[in-house]
Amino acid sequence: MRKVYLDYAATTPADPEVVQSMLPYFTYVFANPLSVHDFGRSAATAVDGARDTVARFLGAKPDEIVFTSGGTESNNAAIKGAAFAARGRGNHIITTTIEHRAILSPCVFLERQGFSVTRLPVDGSGMVDPDAVRKAITPQTILISVMHANNEIGTILPIAEIGGIARERGVLFHTDAVQTFGHIPVNADDLMVDLLSASAHKFYGPKGAGLLYIRKGSKIGRFMHGGSQEKNRRASTHNVPGIVGFAKAVEIAERGEAAEMQHLTRLRTKVIDGVLGKIRRAQLNGHPTERLPGNVNLSFRNVQGERLLRGLNAAGIGCSTGSACSASNTGPSHVLDAISGSLRLSLGKQVTEEDIDYVLDILPREVRMLRAVEQA
Ligand SMILES: *Cc1c(COP(=O)(O)O)cnc(C)c1O
């Protein structure tokens, strides 16, 4: 049976070149980068090189990059770090209803600590109105956090516009760019952000490696107390293999991003046109054009997402309803709670035209079968 992985938004396989680049740092260049001996200096050189690479990619300065364990840590650090650093100046945070749980959950935590949170709604295509952000700002507002692209429905949000508003009003602006970094252009100045989260495993890098970009001058509280790593901002011995692999994934994205965008957009169009052409009462969720090249999110009237997922899995197709995090929870996803039977097919480098042909063969059959069962 053909096996087709269509869950790249949940995680991607590490590129073999990434794995190769990491191997020496487990065994030969294994020392602690903080150690003053030559062994440690070699490891520190590798971390410095990786920092230069990711900083250049982001249009940032090397000392504006803090390496973390991934997107969740970066988001927590940004939200809590900004909030605690601004305590006394203001207590109001603006975000959206469609953020990843790694933003929503720290916001709930902060509410219990006395902060107040405005969660802006999105329109039917998952868009946030920049004007709504402008109107939500009060003298108490200390932070705005809006994701660059949504992980479930793939909508790309107007970050630069919101960033312009935040800057004009002197409010710190964070974006969760985990779904875009390494996939579409992400430049800190173009996006007008002060803080930005990225994660290596979402673009063919290793799991357990990420970054928080902190624009020079932005006030962020220390987010891991301990050693003096990362200029006292994030303690803990560097994950040197992870950091090296992260930088290698960035190098690969640098040279291949444009081609990947083209490849995925072509496949995405093929899936969407194929499904909408073959299946009645099917609907594309998210934005028609402002969407991640690899994201397809569909719903089918009278079909339960969970059942469809199981049927596809039995046919060798691995995809998800909403995000992996919400799929493992019982309740419906917070992004798509109004839509039943939503299916996310997220595409990546290894997906071929033949894989899509297979999906376009299986999916209509599964939907028809489930609808027949539903009616019986
Ligand atoms: C995956 C994801 C995260 C979490 O990143 P990890 O590196 O897995 O912690 C955060 N935000 C978004 C939008 C994501 O897709």
Side-chain angles (χ1 to χ4, degrees):
M1 187 175 57
R2 188 179 272 271
K3 286 274 186 190
V4 185
Y5 179 80
L6 294 179
D7 207 10
Y8 286 81
T11 195
T12 61
D15 190 294
E17 213 184 308
V18 166
V19 177
Q20 277 303 319
S21 76
M22 294 170 68
L23 291 178
Y25 295 91
F26 288 103
T27 48
Y28 300 108
V29 192
F30 61 86
N32 191 323
L34 249 54
S35 300
V36 293
H37 43 64
D38 284 358
F39 303 95
R41 291 252 287 281
S42 299
T45 302
V47 171
D48 289 345
R51 198 187 305 280
D52 289 346
T53 301
V54 300
R56 186 182 65 236
F57 185 65
L58 198 53
K61 296 174 206 71
D63 63 359
E64 293 176 314
I65 304 293
V66 174
F67 285 118
T68 68
S69 64
T72 300
E73 184 189 327
S74 299
N75 283 346
N76 270 267
I79 300 287
K80 294 179 201 164
F84 288 128
R87 200 169 226 177
R89 227 174 5 86
N91 73 338
H92 180 230
I93 297 162
I94 298 171
T95 186
T96 78
T97 53
I98 59 161
E99 298 299 311
H100 191 273
R101 276 155 210 272
I103 293 289
L104 293 178
S105 191
C107 283
V108 170
F109 165 77
L110 287 173
E111 277 178 319
R112 285 194 222 112
Q113 308 286 315
F115 290 89
S116 116
V117 179
T118 299
R119 297 173 182 83
L120 297 171
V122 295
D123 69 13
S125 65
M127 275 291 169
V128 171
D129 179 8
D131 229 39
V133 176
R134 187 195 303 279
K135 289 186 185 123
I137 298 173
T138 75
Q140 291 295 308
T141 308
I142 48 167
L143 176 71
I144 299 169
S145 181
V146 177
M147 72 200 316
H148 191 189
N150 181 266
N151 46 299
E152 298 188 26
I153 54 176
T155 305
I156 301 170
L157 300 166
I159 297 307
E161 239 183 292
I162 297 168
I165 294 165
R167 194 166 295 176
E168 193 186 293
R169 302 289 293 269
V171 179
L172 211 58
F173 181 43
H174 168 258
T175 194
D176 173 349
V178 172
Q179 286 291 330
T180 52
F181 189 95
H183 294 289
I184 65 173
V186 174
N187 178 287
D189 288 336
D190 293 349
L191 292 177
M192 307 252 259
V193 294
D194 303 304
L195 305 164
L196 180 146
S197 306
S199 176
H201 77 93
K202 297 290 177 85
F203 68 105
Y204 312 99
K207 290 164 184 61
L211 68 79
L212 180 64
Y213 159 78
I214 306 176
R215 186 179 291 281
K216 205 173 164 67
S218 307
K219 295 255 178 317
I220 281 285
R222 220 178 147 161
F223 49 97
M224 193 78 98
H225 296 80
S228 63
Q229 289 89 355
E230 299 298 273
K231 297 204 186 323
N232 285 317
R233 293 173 292 194
R234 199 269 189 186
S236 182
T237 303
H238 290 94
N239 170 10
V240 182
I243 290 168
V244 167
F246 187 178
K248 181 55 76 179
V250 163
E251 280 175 26
I252 295 168
E254 250 172 346
R255 50 175 211 255
E257 195 174 84
E260 193 206 339
M261 277 170 70
Q262 267 194 342
H263 170 64
L264 295 185
T265 306
R266 197 177 62 245
L267 294 180
R268 184 186 78 189
T269 306
K270 180 169 172 156
V271 176
I272 294 172
D273 291 353
V275 168
L276 297 183
K278 286 183 174 200
I279 307 177
R280 284 175 305 122
R281 288 170 294 150
Q283 176 194 314
L284 177 70
N285 302 311
H287 199 278
T289 53
E290 292 301 305
R291 75 183 303 134
L292 290 169
N295 175 286
V296 179
N297 190 305
L298 298 155
S299 40
F300 307 98
R301 193 111 47 88
N302 299 331
V303 176
Q304 267 184 27
E306 288 292 325
R307 284 200 180 154
L308 186 53
L309 204 68
R310 258 175 281 154
L312 292 173
N313 183 54
I317 300 168
C319 53
S320 94
T321 60
S323 73
C325 329
S326 34
S328 58
N329 283 330
T330 41
S333 140
H334 59 277
V335 177
L336 286 164
D337 54 5
I339 302 167
S340 71
S342 124
L343 185 74
R344 181 186 70 183
L345 308 173
S346 47
L347 316 174
K349 268 183 198 171
Q350 283 85 355
V351 180
T352 64
E353 298 272 348
E354 292 72 34
D355 290 335
I356 301 302
D357 290 334
Y358 180 66
V359 171
L360 290 176
D361 182 33
I362 300 291
L363 183 56
R365 273 198 258 171
E366 285 295 328
V367 170
R368 257 199 309 277
M369 213 169 66
L370 289 173
R371 278 178 176 161
V373 169
E374 202 78 16
Q375 247 132 54

